[in-house]
Amino acid sequence: MNKKSYRTASIDSGTSDEDMVEIAGATLDFSMTDDDAPLDRDIAEGYTSYNGNSRMNGAPKMMYFLDEPVPGVGTYEDFNTIDWVREKSRDRDRHREIASRSKESAWALLHSISDAFSGWLIMVKVGLLAGALAGVIDISAHWMTDLKEGFCLTTFWFNKEHCCWSSNETTFKDPNKCPSWKTWSEIILNESSGAFPYILNYFIYVVWALLFSFLAVMLVKSFAPYACGSGIPEIKSILSGFIIRGYLGKWTLLIKTMTLVLAVSSGLSLGKEGPLIHVACCCGNFFCHLFTKYRRNEAKRREVLSAAAAAGVSVAFGAPIGGVLFSLEEVSYYFPLKTLWRSFFAALVAAFTLRSINPFGNSRLVLFYVEFHTPWHLIELIPFILLGIFGGVWGAFFIRTNIAWCRRRKTTKLGKYPVVEVLVVTAITAILAFPNEYTRISTSELISELFNDCGLLDSSQLCDYVNVFNSTNVDILPDRPASTGVYTAMWQLSLALIFKIIITIFTFGMKVPSGLFIPSMAVGAIAGRLLGVGMEQLAYYNSDWSIFKSWCSHGADCITPGLYAMVGAAACLGGVTRMTVSLVVIMFELTGGLEYIVPLMAAAMTSKWVADAIGREGIYDAHIRLNGYPFLEAKEEFSHKTLAMDVMRPQKSGAPLTVLTQDSMTVEDVETIINETTFSGFPVVVSRESQRLLGFCLRRDLVISIENARKKQDGIVSTSTIYFTEHIPPQPSSAPAALKLRSILDLSPFTVTDHTPMEIVVDIFRKLGLRQCLVTHNGRLLGIITKKDVLKHIAQMANQDPDSILFN
């Protein structure tokens, strides 16, 4: 029996250099075992192709085994795109079969009910696990961040805040007076002030940062290369139908959860919010494997992943409604109404779980909850819009510089030394961050302090004002002149702003889990606080100006600097991600500032307009294009006047299209075509002369079917004829057994004519999620257009190198 070598090359995963691929800057192996295709046990339960209803007629030497399910047929190879039309059709067939059987017996009725509720059950499990993991990550990261400066003597597992809560000597006026909490210099030298204790604390701070980052990058490199980065570009690609085996696997979930704590604790300029979306999607993928209809159907699985992404945002920001809108606006490709309800439910369960854990100890879901006592005035829209302009400029600048640096990392030797890069960036970050108290603390604490509305009991430098009034109402304080502490804080915040802007460019995209939400918000919050204090002092010293006289009299509480910080944070986050609706909802859920939704909307829209004027892509779309993922952006319009015949392959001057015929090719002929080409599928025609289209057959299905036929049926040899027809003509007694493969043939491939405008073709690919469509003229096959062909054509029309954006 002549078994060709194509089976190993096309199906099995090897460890040669050809099997390595660059994903999100990491070199990855195809041999990941998580998120595998359905196994034989799945097939035995009834895993069939949706058009596999064929009958066998002909000679006794005919192959009959393909009337039964063949293991692997109907699944997809790694780094391929799913066929949404086929997956949805298969699910409809499965649902109709269950509905028809439910009338036959009570057991079948119970099976139908359990099948209907399985999606909701998965949502409960995803919400519970995502909320629990988020709580563990929050508590662990807070403790390990404080560990760099000292630890609690009485209960070492408490962070500084929890440790000092139990002390009777800690007050609002002197929050640093906490006998239970000791710095490293106090523990080692029994001294807290002086040059040498400062140097010792400085040294230990840097050592802890290097240790945490080293452990993070080594765990990622050794056990789960997919655990690096934020994960949102890959999640968007996966939700659009791209297959990345192992990216949502169990090892990735475990390692990303551990290394996310380490990366955040190291003090690098990154956040945990983006990676938490990846973690939640890993939870969703894990539970999908426990339910048959989600394990076998890639389209149904993506409905769960969309809801899981909403749960991830819910626990990342404490914003369940914002999470649903984020999934709808930013990451999801296919979002039916049913998925909207389930996303809302998953976000609700996740938020409830996180609230039950109470990781921040404030009985709220978020760390940034604020209560501003002064309403904003219409004239303040001017500085709010200025913050929006700053956010748009900063977002466009960050995207261009970060993409340039990531491209340099991918194309130079820098990408070969991820551990060294992480350690160098960590060392620079820690050395520059320690002297400035606003960069030494965690970014979340910095944002919380910047959002804070100063009261009489606040001891922060940002609240060091001269009290020139006599009042017992500590809730509403008039604008006051700034003291030396405020001016010192302004200088420190200005240095922190420059530091955050520069270091975040080099941090995002390294081989550790790294989110961008919190660093972007920190940049905007610093800029907003600086502007807010400036406006506050301007109004105080110039209350007789016409712009202030009507609404800001002397001694009144007019300007709230914390509000400016909140608006600036929204502006910068919007400039980087280009979010609008979901951003505003996340911000007012994050802070509780529902009264300030109009300033947030003004800043978000302004930042998006400004950033779009400079560059059309958000940071996640830019990274998708950098890595060459086959992602068709639904937000952009195709306005060029080209036709399907201009894009299809082959062109008139090219080689003829590789096709299979319905009844005139042998097993050897098909194996030769598979060996000599790399196409993912082949059109099947009546004959080469007529070129009348019969259907489309996937390469993977062909390979698996022929291999199974050789193993399970005697008489299948290289000269056996392959039939894609429904009826097989009688075979001579001396002829080898024929092989019927009609059951793996797609009898209804999507076709367009050669004069179909490409704007319609692009819309078809976007809205139907096609892998390919065939081009015909008067019923004769002319060529094929794949998703890659569409992407290359869009790149050519945009004057870009088409080969530079395609995933290999």
Side-chain angles (χ1 to χ4, degrees):
M1 193 175 293
N2 182 20
K3 295 188 178 183
K4 296 289 183 180
S5 61
Y6 73 89
R7 289 190 293 272
T8 301
S10 300
I11 297 297
D12 298 335
S13 296
T15 55
S16 64
D17 292 338
E18 289 76 19
D19 291 336
M20 307 296 285
V21 66
E22 182 84 3
I23 294 281
T27 304
L28 307 170
D29 198 328
F30 278 26
S31 58
M32 305 282 269
T33 57
D34 287 332
D35 196 17
D36 289 332
L39 305 176
D40 292 17
R41 61 179 175 85
D42 302 324
I43 308 301
E45 296 173 10
Y47 187 82
T48 60
S49 180
Y50 75 94
N51 59 352
N53 54 346
S54 56
R55 298 192 304 270
M56 299 298 295
N57 296 293
K61 300 177 73 173
M62 192 61 53
M63 271 298 302
Y64 286 96
F65 85 97
L66 278 179
D67 278 347
E68 298 298 325
V70 178
V73 169
T75 60
Y76 302 93
E77 291 182 340
D78 204 3
F79 305 106
N80 272 253
T81 303
I82 71 169
D83 189 333
W84 286 89
V85 175
R86 183 171 78 161
E87 295 298 299
K88 296 303 294 182
S89 179
R90 287 167 54 188
D91 183 64
R92 284 193 296 269
D93 288 346
R94 182 197 62 81
H95 189 268
R96 279 194 292 264
E97 182 179 358
I98 292 176
S100 63
R101 288 182 178 179
S102 64
K103 303 175 183 178
E104 299 175 358
S105 65
W107 177 254
L109 179 62
L110 287 176
H111 179 260
S112 174
I113 295 174
S114 66
D115 181 80
F117 279 95
S118 60
W120 296 100
L121 183 58
I122 288 182
M123 294 302 102
V124 173
K125 294 182 177 181
V126 169
L128 290 173
L129 184 56
L133 289 177
V136 170
I137 290 171
D138 286 333
I139 294 171
S140 303
H142 200 171
W143 178 76
M144 293 178 67
T145 299
D146 290 343
L147 186 64
K148 294 185 295 183
E149 299 185 41
F151 69 90
C152 190
L153 292 179
T154 54
T155 46
F156 73 91
W157 58 88
F158 278 4
N159 58 48
K160 184 177 181 179
E161 185 178 13
H162 286 83
C163 182
C164 294
W165 278 352
S166 59
S167 175
N168 294 326
E169 300 182 36
T170 304
T171 62
F172 283 104
K173 290 186 177 181
D174 192 7
N176 294 322
K177 189 177 182 181
C178 180
S180 300
W181 180 266
K182 298 292 183 182
T183 63
W184 291 108
S185 63
E186 291 175 323
I187 296 170
I188 298 174
L189 302 176
N190 201 25
E191 296 180 17
S192 59
S193 60
F196 191 65
Y198 178 83
I199 294 173
L200 179 62
N201 287 331
Y202 200 154
F203 175 76
I204 294 179
Y205 179 92
V206 174
V207 169
W208 275 118
L210 289 171
L211 176 62
F212 291 155
S213 62
F214 176 75
L215 290 175
V217 69
M218 287 305 297
L219 286 172
V220 169
K221 182 182 178 182
S222 302
F223 297 102
Y226 286 135
C228 66
S230 74
I232 294 181
E234 287 75 21
I235 295 297
K236 288 188 68 171
S237 301
I238 289 173
L239 290 179
S240 74
F242 194 46
I243 300 286
I244 308 179
R245 303 286 182 203
Y247 194 83
L248 302 176
K250 295 181 288 294
W251 268 110
T252 304
L253 173 61
L254 176 63
I255 298 301
K256 187 135 194 172
T257 303
M258 296 170 56
T259 55
L260 181 55
V261 175
L262 293 167
V264 172
S265 304
S266 67
L268 287 167
S269 183
L270 47 82
K272 61 182 181 296
E273 285 67 25
L276 275 175
I277 299 172
H278 186 187
V279 168
C281 288
C282 289
C283 298
N285 184 69
F286 172 75
F287 289 119
C288 280
H289 284 279
L290 305 180
F291 296 85
T292 303
K293 74 173 181 179
Y294 294 103
R295 181 174 67 241
R296 297 175 182 171
N297 193 292
E298 294 289 349
K300 296 294 292 181
R301 186 184 305 189
R302 274 150 182 77
E303 293 180 14
V304 173
L305 297 182
S306 293
V313 177
S314 176
V315 295
F317 290 107
I321 300 176
V324 176
L325 293 176
F326 176 84
S327 180
L328 173 62
E329 179 184 3
E330 191 64 25
V331 298
S332 292
Y333 192 85
Y334 175 68
F335 205 82
L337 187 60
K338 178 173 58 178
T339 303
L340 177 67
W341 299 335
R342 290 179 177 174
S343 299
F344 183 81
F345 183 64
L348 169 66
V349 174
F352 171 79
T353 305
L354 186 64
R355 171 63 182 82
S356 302
I357 297 173
N358 192 19
F360 305 118
N362 58 4
S363 299
R364 293 189 175 94
L365 285 173
V366 295
L367 188 62
F368 307 139
Y369 186 81
V370 296
E371 288 181 329
F372 299 138
H373 304 288
T374 306
W376 62 279
H377 196 270
L378 189 62
I379 196 69
E380 290 183 280
L381 279 178
I382 297 175
F384 293 154
I385 290 175
L386 290 177
L387 286 173
I389 294 173
F390 171 80
V393 173
W394 142 252
F397 167 76
F398 174 81
I399 292 170
R400 288 194 177 185
T401 51
N402 179 254
I403 291 298
W405 178 254
C406 290
R407 183 176 290 111
R408 182 177 181 84
R409 180 189 292 126
K410 291 170 69 72
T411 57
T412 63
K413 292 183 179 180
L414 178 65
K416 298 180 180 179
Y417 305 100
V419 179
V420 175
E421 181 190 9
V422 170
L423 291 178
V424 169
V425 173
T426 304
I428 294 173
T429 303
I431 291 171
L432 296 180
F434 187 85
N436 189 336
E437 63 175 289
Y438 293 109
T439 53
R440 185 191 314 168
I441 61 177
S442 70
T443 311
S444 297
E445 292 179 15
L446 170 63
I447 296 173
S448 181
E449 185 165 346
L450 293 171
F451 284 4
N452 183 44
D453 188 17
C454 290
L456 280 177
L457 300 179
D458 286 312
S459 60
S460 168
Q461 280 189 324
L462 283 171
C463 298
D464 185 16
Y465 290 91
V466 178
N467 292 322
V468 293
F469 64 96
N470 294 316
S471 175
T472 57
N473 188 354
V474 297
D475 290 332
I476 301 178
L477 299 177
D479 290 342
R480 297 164 289 168
S483 185
T484 55
V486 174
Y487 292 119
T488 302
M490 293 301 100
W491 278 109
Q492 291 178 327
L493 285 175
S494 299
L495 294 174
L497 178 63
I498 298 172
F499 171 74
K500 289 286 185 183
I501 287 175
I502 296 174
I503 203 66
T504 306
I505 293 171
F506 300 98
T507 303
F508 186 70
M510 293 197 306
K511 305 305 181 292
V512 292
S514 55
L516 192 57
F517 285 14
I518 289 296
S520 300
M521 290 176 63
V523 170
I526 294 173
R529 188 77 186 203
L530 292 173
L531 180 60
V533 172
M535 286 290 296
E536 180 188 45
Q537 297 304 300
L538 186 67
Y540 177 80
Y541 286 108
N542 302 279
S543 58
D544 56 337
W545 285 9
S546 58
I547 59 173
F548 298 122
K549 186 179 297 184
S550 61
W551 61 281
C552 187
S553 60
H554 189 73
D557 185 14
C558 306
I559 306 294
T560 305
L563 172 61
Y564 285 72
M566 185 172 74
V567 172
C572 283
L573 184 55
V576 172
T577 62
R578 310 299 164 85
M579 296 189 301
T580 52
V581 179
S582 58
L583 170 63
V584 173
V585 175
I586 286 173
M587 286 303 298
F588 78 69
E589 283 190 283
L590 183 66
T591 60
L594 183 59
E595 183 181 351
Y596 305 98
I597 190 169
V598 172
L600 291 173
M601 292 173 67
M605 283 308 305
T606 304
S607 67
K608 177 175 174 55
W609 286 336
V610 172
D612 283 345
I614 301 174
R616 295 290 298 175
E617 290 180 321
I619 185 64
Y620 303 125
D621 294 328
H623 274 271
I624 286 174
R625 186 166 60 85
L626 177 68
N627 292 316
Y629 299 136
F631 182 78
L632 274 173
E633 179 57 65
K635 301 172 186 176
E636 296 183 2
E637 295 183 0
F638 185 86
S639 58
H640 303 282
K641 296 181 179 180
T642 51
L643 302 176
M645 62 187 301
D646 302 323
V647 182
M648 71 176 189
R649 289 180 295 162
Q651 291 293 304
K652 294 180 179 179
S653 58
L657 183 66
T658 303
V659 297
L660 306 179
T661 57
Q662 66 173 2
D663 56 7
S664 60
M665 299 186 72
T666 64
V667 171
E668 183 177 21
D669 296 334
V670 174
E671 289 177 341
T672 300
I673 289 176
I674 293 174
N675 278 324
E676 293 178 352
T677 63
T678 58
F679 305 131
S680 62
F682 306 94
V684 179
V685 296
V686 174
S687 66
R688 295 186 185 277
E689 293 75 22
S690 70
Q691 290 291 306
R692 298 292 179 183
L693 181 63
L694 180 66
F696 191 85
C697 188
L698 293 178
R699 175 195 187 94
R700 179 181 176 87
D701 292 354
L702 271 175
V703 170
I704 294 174
S705 299
I706 294 175
E707 183 174 2
N708 274 270
R710 286 184 178 276
K711 288 180 179 179
K712 296 183 178 180
Q713 179 70 25
D714 292 334
I716 297 299
V717 293
S718 298
T719 55
S720 297
T721 303
I722 293 179
Y723 288 93
F724 291 99
T725 55
E726 186 172 0
H727 302 285
I728 308 300
Q731 303 291 309
S733 58
S734 59
L739 177 59
K740 182 179 178 183
L741 297 183
R742 188 177 178 83
S743 63
I744 65 172
L745 183 64
D746 180 1
L747 294 172
S748 57
F750 204 94
T751 60
V752 296
T753 66
D754 51 339
H755 288 281
T756 304
M758 272 306 295
E759 58 182 333
I760 295 179
V761 175
V762 171
D763 276 345
I764 289 172
F765 270 88
R766 284 173 177 163
K767 295 175 180 178
L768 295 182
L770 299 181
R771 300 180 75 189
Q772 70 280 317
C773 72
L774 302 175
V775 182
T776 62
H777 179 76
N778 293 334
R780 298 184 70 252
L781 179 66
L782 292 184
I784 186 172
I785 299 177
T786 65
K787 195 172 184 178
K788 287 185 178 181
D789 295 327
V790 174
L791 289 167
K792 288 176 68 175
H793 183 65
I794 292 175
Q796 286 175 334
M797 294 295 100
N799 296 321
Q800 298 172 353
D801 180 10
D803 294 325
S804 66
I805 67 166
L806 291 182
F807 182 80
N808 184 3

